Amino acid sequence: MLGLLLELTPTDYRQPVLDPTIVFDDSGPLEAPLTDETLHAVEAQLGHKLPIAYVDLARRHNGGSLARDAHPAPNRTSWAEDHVGIYTLAAIERTAQFSLCGGLGSAFWIAEWGYPDIGIYIADCPSAGHDMIALDYRSPGEPAVVHVDQKRNYHITLLAPNFETFVTGLVDESEYDVDD
């Protein structure tokens, strides 16, 4: 028994922080739960290490429609005066159309729609491509979560300092006056 040594990393002790039963609606994940092999391949293809909270969530529910569909914004966007609408979180994978490396993944938005190459586009909005949510890697450390507004000359608005704060800040759009 003493001869058996396990190599543990700090993430082995970390409790999952986001509950997929609260984050996602009941439509099911876009992809199978994330594996280490897929994670390494996706991160290599994207050129960025993904936030731990995003990885933890994808290991239990890999992408899909969000249960809460809005996030406060500090200023007006093309969507509304005080928030952005959010539809789906991309899976960490490459098979589904809306997975990070899928046909409508992060590279697609940069190459085909001209979105700025600031990091990884992780969530779509109800505007059918006219605004997106991204992990912004322009500063050192964990990436911030930003809204990129194509209709407003790709204006970038900070939504949250990190992925976990972004997801916990999601609310139901019914909390807003949607006629603004």
Side-chain angles (χ1 to χ4, degrees):
M1 194 75 127
L2 292 176
L4 177 64
L5 294 176
L6 298 175
E7 287 189 31
L8 298 176
T9 63
T11 58
D12 292 327
Y13 297 104
R14 189 172 195 285
Q15 292 295 317
V17 293
L18 300 172
D19 181 350
T21 64
I22 294 170
V23 173
F24 296 100
D25 69 9
D26 58 2
S27 63
L30 296 175
E31 297 270 7
L34 179 64
T35 65
D36 288 339
E37 180 181 343
T38 298
L39 173 64
H40 297 306
V42 166
E43 287 180 332
Q45 184 173 339
L46 295 171
H48 295 287
K49 187 161 179 60
L50 293 165
I52 291 171
Y54 193 4
V55 171
D56 285 345
L57 186 60
R59 290 189 188 285
R60 293 171 290 134
H61 191 287
N62 200 359
S65 297
L66 297 166
R68 294 171 290 170
D69 56 354
H71 196 283
N75 50 20
R76 176 166 257 309
T77 68
S78 61
W79 185 252
E81 183 177 311
D82 55 359
H83 70 282
V84 295
I86 302 165
Y87 182 62
T88 306
L89 180 66
I92 302 174
E93 192 37 283
R94 53 175 41 107
T95 312
Q97 276 287 86
F98 194 63
S99 60
L100 293 180
C101 296
L104 298 177
S106 190
F108 168 82
W109 298 107
I110 296 166
E112 298 297 323
W113 279 64
Y115 274 85
D117 190 2
I118 59 170
I120 303 170
Y121 290 86
I122 62 166
D124 63 344
C125 300
S127 66
H130 294 288
D131 58 333
M132 297 289 295
I133 306 300
L135 295 171
D136 184 349
Y137 286 85
R138 294 178 295 169
S139 297
E142 187 167 356
V145 178
V146 298
H147 174 255
V148 182
D149 201 333
Q150 184 258 349
K151 285 186 172 183
R152 299 182 82 191
N153 199 27
Y154 299 100
H155 180 78
I156 298 171
T157 301
L158 176 67
L159 297 178
N162 58 54
F163 180 81
E164 184 178 341
T165 303
F166 167 73
V167 173
T168 58
L170 291 168
V171 296
D172 192 279
E173 192 167 36
S174 66
E175 292 187 25
Y176 293 99
D177 178 9
V178 294
D179 294 327
D180 65 353

